[in-house]
mmCIF file of all heavy atoms in Angstrom:
data_model
loop_
_atom_site.group_PDB
_atom_site.id
_atom_site.type_symbol
_atom_site.label_atom_id
_atom_site.label_comp_id
_atom_site.label_asym_id
_atom_site.label_seq_id
_atom_site.Cartn_x
_atom_site.Cartn_y
_atom_site.Cartn_z
ATOM 1 N N VAL A 233 80.499 73.915 171.378
ATOM 2 C CA VAL A 233 79.555 73.438 172.389
ATOM 3 C C VAL A 233 78.278 72.748 171.785
ATOM 4 O O VAL A 233 77.808 73.360 170.883
ATOM 5 C CB VAL A 233 79.095 74.569 173.375
ATOM 6 C CG1 VAL A 233 78.015 74.042 174.346
ATOM 7 C CG2 VAL A 233 80.258 75.252 174.055
ATOM 8 N N VAL A 234 78.041 71.508 172.146
ATOM 9 C CA VAL A 234 76.854 70.855 171.767
ATOM 10 C C VAL A 234 75.852 70.698 172.840
ATOM 11 O O VAL A 234 76.355 70.313 173.925
ATOM 12 C CB VAL A 234 77.100 69.421 171.074
ATOM 13 C CG1 VAL A 234 75.857 68.809 170.604
ATOM 14 C CG2 VAL A 234 78.148 69.659 169.832
ATOM 15 N N ARG A 235 74.619 71.284 172.601
ATOM 16 C CA ARG A 235 73.642 71.200 173.657
ATOM 17 C C ARG A 235 72.304 71.267 173.268
ATOM 18 O O ARG A 235 72.040 71.400 172.057
ATOM 19 C CB ARG A 235 74.016 72.583 174.558
ATOM 20 C CG ARG A 235 73.639 73.798 173.657
ATOM 21 C CD ARG A 235 73.716 75.048 174.505
ATOM 22 N NE ARG A 235 73.643 76.309 173.724
ATOM 23 C CZ ARG A 235 72.551 76.717 173.110
ATOM 24 N NH1 ARG A 235 71.371 76.179 173.294
ATOM 25 N NH2 ARG A 235 72.460 77.880 172.366
ATOM 26 N N LEU A 236 71.351 71.007 174.156
ATOM 27 C CA LEU A 236 69.945 71.036 173.878
ATOM 28 C C LEU A 236 69.535 72.585 173.464
ATOM 29 O O LEU A 236 70.133 73.528 173.970
ATOM 30 C CB LEU A 236 69.126 70.473 174.950
ATOM 31 C CG LEU A 236 69.223 69.122 175.252
ATOM 32 C CD1 LEU A 236 68.418 68.663 176.515
ATOM 33 C CD2 LEU A 236 68.802 68.184 174.051
ATOM 34 N N LEU A 237 68.508 72.718 172.548
ATOM 35 C CA LEU A 237 67.939 73.926 172.341
ATOM 36 C C LEU A 237 67.435 74.708 173.459
ATOM 37 O O LEU A 237 66.792 74.076 174.454
ATOM 38 C CB LEU A 237 66.726 73.770 171.249
ATOM 39 C CG LEU A 237 65.973 74.914 170.777
ATOM 40 C CD1 LEU A 237 66.844 75.602 169.691
ATOM 41 C CD2 LEU A 237 64.696 74.526 170.338
ATOM 42 N N GLN A 238 67.718 75.860 173.672
ATOM 43 C CA GLN A 238 67.281 76.773 174.754
ATOM 44 C C GLN A 238 66.128 77.711 174.302
ATOM 45 O O GLN A 238 66.081 78.028 173.112
ATOM 46 C CB GLN A 238 68.399 77.580 175.282
ATOM 47 C CG GLN A 238 69.531 76.765 175.813
ATOM 48 C CD GLN A 238 69.224 75.960 176.977
ATOM 49 O OE1 GLN A 238 68.617 76.452 177.933
ATOM 50 N NE2 GLN A 238 69.487 74.583 176.892
ATOM 51 N N PRO A 239 65.209 78.099 175.220
ATOM 52 C CA PRO A 239 64.135 78.957 174.785
ATOM 53 C C PRO A 239 64.441 80.292 173.928
ATOM 54 O O PRO A 239 63.685 80.669 173.192
ATOM 55 C CB PRO A 239 63.485 79.320 176.097
ATOM 56 C CG PRO A 239 63.896 78.148 177.049
ATOM 57 C CD PRO A 239 65.283 77.862 176.615
ATOM 58 N N ASP A 240 65.677 80.800 174.285
ATOM 59 C CA ASP A 240 66.031 82.053 173.517
ATOM 60 C C ASP A 240 66.790 81.829 172.267
ATOM 61 O O ASP A 240 67.176 82.752 171.664
ATOM 62 C CB ASP A 240 66.830 83.019 174.467
ATOM 63 C CG ASP A 240 67.995 82.293 175.020
ATOM 64 O OD1 ASP A 240 68.197 81.070 175.022
ATOM 65 O OD2 ASP A 240 68.935 83.059 175.482
ATOM 66 N N ASP A 241 67.096 80.541 171.874
ATOM 67 C CA ASP A 241 67.665 80.240 170.638
ATOM 68 C C ASP A 241 66.788 80.661 169.516
ATOM 69 O O ASP A 241 65.584 80.480 169.524
ATOM 70 C CB ASP A 241 68.050 78.751 170.472
ATOM 71 C CG ASP A 241 69.204 78.370 171.462
ATOM 72 O OD1 ASP A 241 70.059 79.240 171.789
ATOM 73 O OD2 ASP A 241 69.306 77.161 171.902
ATOM 74 N N ASP A 242 67.385 81.137 168.410
ATOM 75 C CA ASP A 242 66.601 81.577 167.166
ATOM 76 C C ASP A 242 66.111 80.393 166.422
ATOM 77 O O ASP A 242 66.819 79.816 165.575
ATOM 78 C CB ASP A 242 67.572 82.475 166.328
ATOM 79 C CG ASP A 242 66.807 83.201 165.200
ATOM 80 O OD1 ASP A 242 65.633 82.709 164.806
ATOM 81 O OD2 ASP A 242 67.180 84.044 164.686
ATOM 82 N N GLN A 243 64.823 79.898 166.629
ATOM 83 C CA GLN A 243 64.469 78.670 166.034
ATOM 84 C C GLN A 243 64.146 78.828 164.527
ATOM 85 O O GLN A 243 64.364 77.962 163.767
ATOM 86 C CB GLN A 243 63.131 78.133 166.599
ATOM 87 C CG GLN A 243 63.305 77.750 168.110
ATOM 88 C CD GLN A 243 62.083 77.170 168.702
ATOM 89 O OE1 GLN A 243 61.094 76.882 168.105
ATOM 90 N NE2 GLN A 243 62.045 77.226 170.131
ATOM 91 N N GLN A 244 63.804 80.074 164.169
ATOM 92 C CA GLN A 244 63.667 80.282 162.737
ATOM 93 C C GLN A 244 64.942 80.198 161.903
ATOM 94 O O GLN A 244 65.037 79.600 160.863
ATOM 95 C CB GLN A 244 62.848 81.543 162.431
ATOM 96 C CG GLN A 244 61.525 81.558 162.919
ATOM 97 C CD GLN A 244 60.800 82.896 162.512
ATOM 98 O OE1 GLN A 244 61.458 83.981 162.340
ATOM 99 N NE2 GLN A 244 59.420 82.830 162.564
ATOM 100 N N MET A 245 65.952 80.748 162.497
ATOM 101 C CA MET A 245 67.208 80.703 161.913
ATOM 102 C C MET A 245 67.849 79.276 161.848
ATOM 103 O O MET A 245 68.214 78.791 160.752
ATOM 104 C CB MET A 245 68.310 81.585 162.639
ATOM 105 C CG MET A 245 69.709 81.740 161.996
ATOM 106 S SD MET A 245 70.729 80.240 162.416
ATOM 107 C CE MET A 245 70.937 80.513 164.130
ATOM 108 N N LEU A 246 67.583 78.485 162.826
ATOM 109 C CA LEU A 246 68.027 77.142 162.819
ATOM 110 C C LEU A 246 67.150 76.268 161.947
ATOM 111 O O LEU A 246 67.783 75.409 161.191
ATOM 112 C CB LEU A 246 67.882 76.507 164.319
ATOM 113 C CG LEU A 246 68.810 77.086 165.371
ATOM 114 C CD1 LEU A 246 68.329 76.720 166.765
ATOM 115 C CD2 LEU A 246 70.244 76.535 165.059
ATOM 116 N N GLY A 247 65.985 76.573 161.656
ATOM 117 C CA GLY A 247 65.178 75.910 160.773
ATOM 118 C C GLY A 247 65.618 76.126 159.327
ATOM 119 O O GLY A 247 65.763 75.317 158.503
ATOM 120 N N ARG A 248 66.106 77.516 158.957
ATOM 121 C CA ARG A 248 66.625 77.820 157.741
ATOM 122 C C ARG A 248 68.033 77.163 157.529
ATOM 123 O O ARG A 248 68.260 76.705 156.317
ATOM 124 C CB ARG A 248 66.802 79.354 157.600
ATOM 125 C CG ARG A 248 65.418 80.097 157.378
ATOM 126 C CD ARG A 248 65.534 81.571 157.012
ATOM 127 N NE ARG A 248 66.322 82.269 157.966
ATOM 128 C CZ ARG A 248 65.886 82.859 159.067
ATOM 129 N NH1 ARG A 248 64.583 82.789 159.397
ATOM 130 N NH2 ARG A 248 66.794 83.533 159.885
ATOM 131 N N LEU A 249 68.752 76.952 158.617
ATOM 132 C CA LEU A 249 69.984 76.309 158.447
ATOM 133 C C LEU A 249 69.916 74.947 158.104
ATOM 134 O O LEU A 249 70.562 74.497 157.090
ATOM 135 C CB LEU A 249 70.780 76.480 159.900
ATOM 136 C CG LEU A 249 72.198 75.845 160.005
ATOM 137 C CD1 LEU A 249 72.953 76.590 161.196
ATOM 138 C CD2 LEU A 249 72.221 74.486 160.295
ATOM 139 N N VAL A 250 68.919 74.206 158.723
ATOM 140 C CA VAL A 250 68.699 72.810 158.188
ATOM 141 C C VAL A 250 68.209 72.778 156.859
ATOM 142 O O VAL A 250 68.655 71.963 155.958
ATOM 143 C CB VAL A 250 67.715 72.104 159.231
ATOM 144 C CG1 VAL A 250 67.213 70.732 158.840
ATOM 145 C CG2 VAL A 250 68.309 72.145 160.691
ATOM 146 N N GLN A 251 67.214 73.636 156.494
ATOM 147 C CA GLN A 251 66.801 73.718 155.068
ATOM 148 C C GLN A 251 67.886 73.952 154.131
ATOM 149 O O GLN A 251 68.104 73.087 153.118
ATOM 150 C CB GLN A 251 65.756 74.725 154.776
ATOM 151 C CG GLN A 251 64.403 74.454 155.282
ATOM 152 C CD GLN A 251 63.481 75.661 154.893
ATOM 153 O OE1 GLN A 251 63.794 76.776 155.037
ATOM 154 N NE2 GLN A 251 62.201 75.225 154.576
ATOM 155 N N HIS A 252 68.800 74.917 154.327
ATOM 156 C CA HIS A 252 69.854 75.226 153.464
ATOM 157 C C HIS A 252 70.871 74.039 153.342
ATOM 158 O O HIS A 252 71.373 73.749 152.180
ATOM 159 C CB HIS A 252 70.527 76.417 153.783
ATOM 160 C CG HIS A 252 69.772 77.697 153.687
ATOM 161 N ND1 HIS A 252 69.759 78.782 154.462
ATOM 162 C CD2 HIS A 252 68.778 78.094 152.795
ATOM 163 C CE1 HIS A 252 68.926 79.646 154.056
ATOM 164 N NE2 HIS A 252 68.184 79.214 153.096
ATOM 165 N N ALA A 253 71.093 73.292 154.396
ATOM 166 C CA ALA A 253 71.925 72.201 154.289
ATOM 167 C C ALA A 253 71.385 71.120 153.357
ATOM 168 O O ALA A 253 72.197 70.517 152.514
ATOM 169 C CB ALA A 253 72.217 71.519 155.712
ATOM 170 N N TYR A 254 70.145 70.851 153.331
ATOM 171 C CA TYR A 254 69.418 69.967 152.410
ATOM 172 C C TYR A 254 69.463 70.379 151.059
ATOM 173 O O TYR A 254 69.805 69.815 150.086
ATOM 174 C CB TYR A 254 67.980 69.445 153.033
ATOM 175 C CG TYR A 254 68.053 68.512 154.024
ATOM 176 C CD1 TYR A 254 68.445 68.760 155.300
ATOM 177 C CD2 TYR A 254 67.585 67.157 153.804
ATOM 178 C CE1 TYR A 254 68.428 67.820 156.258
ATOM 179 C CE2 TYR A 254 67.588 66.318 154.736
ATOM 180 C CZ TYR A 254 68.096 66.489 156.161
ATOM 181 O OH TYR A 254 68.100 65.548 157.059
ATOM 182 N N PHE A 255 68.954 71.750 151.014
ATOM 183 C CA PHE A 255 68.771 72.352 149.670
ATOM 184 C C PHE A 255 70.161 72.347 148.899
ATOM 185 O O PHE A 255 70.165 72.433 147.706
ATOM 186 C CB PHE A 255 68.179 73.708 149.679
ATOM 187 C CG PHE A 255 66.814 73.839 150.283
ATOM 188 C CD1 PHE A 255 66.375 75.089 150.565
ATOM 189 C CD2 PHE A 255 65.932 72.583 150.580
ATOM 190 C CE1 PHE A 255 65.017 75.155 151.133
ATOM 191 C CE2 PHE A 255 64.833 72.768 151.062
ATOM 192 C CZ PHE A 255 64.188 74.045 151.355
ATOM 193 N N ALA A 256 71.136 72.535 149.494
ATOM 194 C CA ALA A 256 72.593 72.419 148.888
ATOM 195 C C ALA A 256 72.988 71.175 148.322
ATOM 196 O O ALA A 256 74.035 71.091 147.641
ATOM 197 C CB ALA A 256 73.571 73.023 149.929
ATOM 198 N N LEU A 257 72.317 70.020 148.785
ATOM 199 C CA LEU A 257 72.672 68.765 148.151
ATOM 200 C C LEU A 257 72.441 68.605 146.621
ATOM 201 O O LEU A 257 71.452 69.062 146.238
ATOM 202 C CB LEU A 257 71.801 67.668 148.884
ATOM 203 C CG LEU A 257 72.026 67.561 150.356
ATOM 204 C CD1 LEU A 257 70.940 66.556 150.981
ATOM 205 C CD2 LEU A 257 73.417 66.881 150.660
ATOM 206 N N PRO A 258 73.337 68.060 145.983
ATOM 207 C CA PRO A 258 73.211 67.906 144.500
ATOM 208 C C PRO A 258 71.925 67.170 144.099
ATOM 209 O O PRO A 258 71.642 66.008 144.785
ATOM 210 C CB PRO A 258 74.396 67.100 144.034
ATOM 211 C CG PRO A 258 75.369 67.135 145.151
ATOM 212 C CD PRO A 258 74.603 67.354 146.401
ATOM 213 N N GLY A 259 71.052 67.683 143.359
ATOM 214 C CA GLY A 259 69.813 67.056 142.939
ATOM 215 C C GLY A 259 68.805 66.968 144.085
ATOM 216 O O GLY A 259 67.908 66.032 143.914
ATOM 217 N N TYR A 260 68.901 67.809 145.123
ATOM 218 C CA TYR A 260 67.890 67.556 146.235
ATOM 219 C C TYR A 260 66.491 67.668 145.633
ATOM 220 O O TYR A 260 66.183 68.685 144.967
ATOM 221 C CB TYR A 260 68.115 68.746 147.237
ATOM 222 C CG TYR A 260 67.050 68.662 148.284
ATOM 223 C CD1 TYR A 260 67.104 67.636 149.223
ATOM 224 C CD2 TYR A 260 65.954 69.535 148.264
ATOM 225 C CE1 TYR A 260 66.015 67.571 150.232
ATOM 226 C CE2 TYR A 260 65.061 69.458 149.256
ATOM 227 C CZ TYR A 260 65.090 68.555 150.240
ATOM 228 O OH TYR A 260 64.051 68.481 151.144
ATOM 229 N N PRO A 261 65.651 66.665 145.758
ATOM 230 C CA PRO A 261 64.291 66.722 145.292
ATOM 231 C C PRO A 261 63.270 67.490 146.194
ATOM 232 O O PRO A 261 62.843 66.881 147.043
ATOM 233 C CB PRO A 261 63.810 65.278 145.165
ATOM 234 C CG PRO A 261 64.722 64.625 146.268
ATOM 235 C CD PRO A 261 66.013 65.496 146.410
ATOM 236 N N HIS A 262 63.131 68.705 145.882
ATOM 237 C CA HIS A 262 62.138 69.498 146.639
ATOM 238 C C HIS A 262 60.772 68.917 146.762
ATOM 239 O O HIS A 262 60.221 68.534 145.781
ATOM 240 C CB HIS A 262 62.069 70.971 146.195
ATOM 241 C CG HIS A 262 63.338 71.733 146.387
ATOM 242 N ND1 HIS A 262 63.666 72.424 147.607
ATOM 243 C CD2 HIS A 262 64.386 72.006 145.681
ATOM 244 C CE1 HIS A 262 64.772 73.006 147.620
ATOM 245 N NE2 HIS A 262 65.245 72.743 146.480
ATOM 246 N N ASP A 263 60.303 68.938 148.016
ATOM 247 C CA ASP A 263 58.857 68.528 148.369
ATOM 248 C C ASP A 263 58.392 69.535 149.283
ATOM 249 O O ASP A 263 58.959 69.630 150.440
ATOM 250 C CB ASP A 263 58.755 67.119 148.800
ATOM 251 C CG ASP A 263 57.486 66.855 149.368
ATOM 252 O OD1 ASP A 263 57.107 67.154 150.585
ATOM 253 O OD2 ASP A 263 56.752 66.124 148.689
ATOM 254 N N PRO A 264 57.497 70.375 148.875
ATOM 255 C CA PRO A 264 56.945 71.538 149.776
ATOM 256 C C PRO A 264 56.759 70.996 151.230
ATOM 257 O O PRO A 264 57.090 71.742 152.211
ATOM 258 C CB PRO A 264 55.779 71.987 149.127
ATOM 259 C CG PRO A 264 55.916 71.681 147.713
ATOM 260 C CD PRO A 264 56.678 70.314 147.690
ATOM 261 N N ASP A 265 56.066 69.988 151.462
ATOM 262 C CA ASP A 265 55.684 69.454 152.769
ATOM 263 C C ASP A 265 56.985 69.092 153.512
ATOM 264 O O ASP A 265 57.109 69.533 154.645
ATOM 265 C CB ASP A 265 54.782 68.305 152.740
ATOM 266 C CG ASP A 265 53.416 68.712 152.319
ATOM 267 O OD1 ASP A 265 52.969 69.932 152.360
ATOM 268 O OD2 ASP A 265 52.673 67.855 151.816
ATOM 269 N N TYR A 266 57.854 68.412 152.914
ATOM 270 C CA TYR A 266 59.026 68.076 153.569
ATOM 271 C C TYR A 266 59.982 69.228 153.778
ATOM 272 O O TYR A 266 60.590 69.297 154.923
ATOM 273 C CB TYR A 266 59.815 66.868 152.906
ATOM 274 C CG TYR A 266 60.927 66.255 153.758
ATOM 275 C CD1 TYR A 266 60.684 65.510 154.830
ATOM 276 C CD2 TYR A 266 62.245 66.602 153.339
ATOM 277 C CE1 TYR A 266 61.685 64.882 155.512
ATOM 278 C CE2 TYR A 266 63.270 66.109 154.145
ATOM 279 C CZ TYR A 266 63.111 65.229 155.279
ATOM 280 O OH TYR A 266 64.092 64.836 156.013
ATOM 281 N N ASP A 267 60.077 70.084 152.790
ATOM 282 C CA ASP A 267 60.845 71.238 152.937
ATOM 283 C C ASP A 267 60.416 72.069 154.239
ATOM 284 O O ASP A 267 61.265 72.621 154.972
ATOM 285 C CB ASP A 267 60.856 72.058 151.706
ATOM 286 C CG ASP A 267 61.523 71.409 150.531
ATOM 287 O OD1 ASP A 267 62.212 70.287 150.761
ATOM 288 O OD2 ASP A 267 61.321 71.989 149.419
ATOM 289 N N ASP A 268 59.104 72.263 154.331
ATOM 290 C CA ASP A 268 58.611 72.890 155.469
ATOM 291 C C ASP A 268 58.945 72.157 156.767
ATOM 292 O O ASP A 268 59.240 72.753 157.865
ATOM 293 C CB ASP A 268 57.054 73.108 155.402
ATOM 294 C CG ASP A 268 56.669 74.124 154.272
ATOM 295 O OD1 ASP A 268 57.545 74.825 153.786
ATOM 296 O OD2 ASP A 268 55.458 74.055 153.979
#
């Protein structure tokens, strides 16, 4: 199911999911502001 974020969805977990997807890229150039 693809849907809009709901108020009870775990936003912190979703944020970590997005971060981890980027961080797993070969040679990902970490930038603290963008990473946040």
Side-chain angles (χ1 to χ4, degrees):
V233 176
V234 178
R235 61 172 175 75
L236 292 173
L237 180 78
Q238 299 298 310
D240 59 340
D241 289 332
D242 187 342
Q243 293 181 22
Q244 289 184 345
M245 183 278 295
L246 289 165
R248 287 189 305 273
L249 184 152
V250 173
Q251 276 184 325
H252 290 146
Y254 278 73
F255 295 174
L257 296 170
Y260 175 77
H262 286 277
D263 172 278
D265 291 335
Y266 190 72
D267 291 353
D268 288 346

